[in-house]
Amino acid sequence: MDPKLFAELTKSIKQAGAIARGERKPSRRFEFTPSRIQAVREKTELSQAQFARLLGVSIKTLQNWEQARRAPTGPAKALLRIMEKEPSAALRALRSEAA
């Protein structure tokens, strides 16, 4: 492995550890507010039930996100980011998977 690349990777891992231990703040965070989640859904022109089905979550989970009772995490948050940036590509991919 390239020594420069290895050094960068090592530095990133140490920074991630410091963030996880609360010793350092992350440089950026991707938070989805209820209004942002709803805006992403409305951009796709899907109902709550349709959108929840595409994301692979229950409608209750989606409603909890949109009403600030819970927040998406992990893969759901990543998928929301993709749907926000590239809704048509995400919809094409998800719909072809469901077929």
Side-chain angles (χ1 to χ4, degrees):
M1 176 179 259
D2 180 320
K4 184 178 177 183
L5 181 59
F6 183 77
E8 288 177 23
L9 183 59
T10 302
K11 181 180 175 184
S12 293
I13 291 169
K14 288 179 181 178
Q15 289 172 344
I19 291 168
R21 290 187 301 274
E23 299 168 359
R24 178 185 176 133
K25 290 192 180 256
S27 61
R28 62 181 180 230
R29 294 186 66 149
F30 297 99
E31 298 297 327
F32 275 92
T33 62
S35 60
R36 187 172 168 199
I37 295 167
Q38 188 173 355
V40 171
R41 179 177 59 79
E42 289 173 351
K43 192 177 196 180
T44 65
E45 299 180 350
L46 295 174
S47 69
Q48 283 184 330
Q50 294 168 319
F51 194 70
R53 191 170 30 257
L54 276 178
L55 290 177
V57 299
S58 72
I59 191 168
K60 286 290 187 190
T61 296
L62 179 61
Q63 290 169 343
N64 284 334
W65 293 346
E66 290 188 357
Q67 295 171 9
R69 289 190 293 260
R70 294 192 155 247
T73 60
K77 191 180 341 184
L79 190 50
L80 284 167
R81 286 178 47 209
I82 294 167
M83 292 190 87
E84 183 176 50
K85 300 290 183 193
E86 297 291 337
S88 59
L91 289 171
R92 270 195 318 275
L94 293 169
R95 285 182 173 148
S96 68
E97 186 69 25

